Amino acid sequence: MGHLTFQAQYLTHLGAKGRIVLPAEVRKVLGLKEGDRLLLRVREDGAIELLSAREVARRAKGMFAHVAPGQSLADELLTERREEAGQEGE
């Protein structure tokens, strides 16, 4: 994934039905494509923060790293779900 400097700024506009177009360079650098989910946060100061679902997951993983150090809780959950699905098919 590429890297934008913190001060990167782009002029965009509010379109029909409140849509905002993200510039192609931003989508490319962040690896975003049509249909990707984004989290929009409005801060108390009126600033808007836009995060990709991938970034939200990365931050959440970091927040809970102390719970099971050296283990991937997501991997464990996926393994459990696969085992449950296999048992249901038997």
Side-chain angles (χ1 to χ4, degrees):
M1 179 164 74
H3 187 283
L4 290 177
T5 63
F6 183 76
Q7 295 299 317
Q9 296 183 41
Y10 300 86
L11 183 61
T12 189
H13 68 280
L14 190 62
K17 298 182 182 181
R19 294 183 176 143
I20 298 173
V21 175
L22 296 177
E25 180 182 354
V26 172
R27 295 190 311 267
K28 180 179 178 184
V29 168
L30 297 178
L32 297 174
K33 61 186 181 309
E34 185 176 335
D36 282 352
R37 298 183 68 110
L38 303 170
L39 173 69
L40 185 136
R41 293 181 184 168
V42 179
R43 297 183 185 171
E44 288 183 23
D45 64 0
I48 295 174
E49 181 178 26
L50 191 60
L51 300 168
S52 67
R54 186 175 28 246
E55 177 62 15
V56 172
R58 187 190 69 75
R59 289 183 183 190
K61 183 178 178 182
M63 286 175 36
F64 296 104
H66 68 283
V67 174
Q71 297 176 325
S72 170
L73 298 179
D75 288 343
E76 287 185 31
L77 179 61
L78 288 172
T79 300
E80 287 177 17
R81 294 294 181 255
R82 287 183 187 119
E83 288 172 359
E84 289 172 4
Q87 291 171 359
E88 291 174 5
E90 294 176 0

